[in-house]
Amino acid sequence: MTFRFGLAVALAAGLMVAPVAGWAQQKIKMGVSIPAATHGWAGGLNWHAQQAEKRLEKQYPNLDVVIVTARDVGRQANDLEDLVSVQRIDALVILPFESAPMTDPVRAVKQAGKFVTVVDRGLTDPSIQDLYVAGNNPQMGEVSARFMKEKMGGKGDIVVLRGIPTVIDNQRVDAFMKEIEGTQIKVLGMQYANWNRDDGFKVMQDFLSRFPKIDAVWAQDDDIALGVIEAVKQAGREKEMFILGGAGMKDMIKRVMDKDVLVPADVLYPPAMIAEAMEITAKHLVEKAPIQKEYIIEATLVTPENAAKYYYPDSPF
């Protein structure tokens, strides 16, 4: 099931006006495991998770939401053990730190009889999950490539900064590369930048030193893009290229609104998807409401013409 951002909230929270009486008052516990707020998108993720916790516990008095954050795979795997054995959760909503190493820990949660919702970074074995909520990662790659093709007239030299080794990163990059097949766009270099501003800066510095001519940069992520912008400006090469990020960070949307030639567009990938996943899971747990197996949020291209629609100055991201 595919929809635009916001429709899932309406679907999942259709009765979210006031706490609902009448359902069995047996206590239900939902664990939420997410990466710590180590960069902008993750900061937005944490904020939306906390806001959803408040809404859901008010809506459902018999629901207890336990949020845990982790800075690495090992910590997140340990958190899952604690959520099952100590917190005794009934369901898990997880955004895996990385796909492959978290697959078996999540499998153990499923084998313990818990409902499993996976968000964003898919597991290497999708049969484990009961519900999957994510942005449209292949579409994000396609939309990014399509914009760059049109902007560059189908030819030129680019560099690509990837995220971290995950299923969603592979989906984005594979779709991007497929979309530019048959063009004269050449990928000079491609490196992981860990969806991190500092790493984006370092990787872009390396690209700038290696390649005397770069026409465009696909940074994939707005945090990475901010690091890329800094590196490009320090090198005095900002008139040479443009940079395309993704996620919908307010700073980047504002640049698009202001028609910054270095940042002509952005592609949405909202961190609010964690709240949607929590709300859909809670509705299923408490109300026993039927749900889809998959909820996918479309990747929207943000341009100067529609940027104001996606600019939220009070947002943490």
Side-chain angles (χ1 to χ4, degrees), residues 2 12 14 28 41 44 74 89 93 106 110 123 140 145 148 161 163 171 183 210 227-228 231 233 238 293 314-315:
T2 304
I28 297 173
W41 194 88
I89 60 170
V93 177
V106 177
K110 180 63 179 176
L123 302 173
M140 189 178 190
M148 295 185 84
L161 289 85
Q171 290 174 338
T183 70
R210 289 164 55 196
V228 170
K233 287 188 173 182
E238 60 266 35
K293 289 282 290 183
D314 297 327
S315 167

Side-chain angles (χ1 to χ4, degrees), residues 54-72:
K54 295 174 185 176
R55 288 195 304 272
L56 291 170
E57 290 185 342
K58 182 178 180 181
Q59 157 111 29
Y60 304 116
N62 59 326
L63 178 68
D64 184 14
V65 179
V66 180
I67 299 175
V68 291
T69 63
R71 291 184 171 270
D72 55 53

Side-chain angles (χ1 to χ4, degrees), residues 149-176:
K149 282 196 306 184
E150 294 174 1
K151 180 78 172 171
M152 299 172 68
K155 61 182 179 181
D157 298 327
I158 71 172
V159 293
V160 175
L161 289 85
R162 304 184 64 158
I164 62 178
T166 58
V167 171
I168 67 168
D169 180 82
N170 292 338
Q171 290 174 338
R172 293 176 184 181
V173 173
D174 290 348
F176 181 91

Side-chain angles (χ1 to χ4, degrees), residues 48-110:
H48 284 291
Q50 292 160 7
Q51 296 303 305
E53 177 185 15
K54 295 174 185 176
R55 288 195 304 272
L56 291 170
E57 290 185 342
K58 182 178 180 181
Q59 157 111 29
Y60 304 116
N62 59 326
L63 178 68
D64 184 14
V65 179
V66 180
I67 299 175
V68 291
T69 63
R71 291 184 171 270
D72 55 53
V73 168
R75 180 67 257 177
Q76 189 170 43
N78 290 338
D79 285 344
L80 297 195
E81 291 183 12
D82 182 74
L83 286 171
V84 172
S85 62
V86 179
Q87 298 291 341
R88 299 187 180 279
I89 60 170
D90 299 290
L92 171 69
V93 177
I94 180 170
L95 195 154
F97 204 93
E98 292 182 23
S99 298
M102 287 308 301
T103 294
D104 282 341
V106 177
R107 191 193 314 277
V109 175
K110 180 63 179 176

Side-chain angles (χ1 to χ4, degrees), residues 10 16 26 32 40 76 95 126 131 191 305:
M16 207 164 272
Q26 179 182 356
V32 180
Q76 189 170 43
L95 195 154
L131 170 66
Q191 291 186 33
E305 290 71 33

Side-chain angles (χ1 to χ4, degrees), residues 226 229 233 249-264 304 311:
L226 289 177
I229 291 169
K233 287 188 173 182
M249 179 187 291
K250 65 181 180 182
D251 292 346
M252 297 297 282
I253 300 298
K254 185 66 164 60
R255 289 173 184 267
V256 175
M257 283 176 60
D258 294 342
K259 298 183 178 180
D260 184 337
V261 294
L262 195 57
V263 184
Y311 180 58

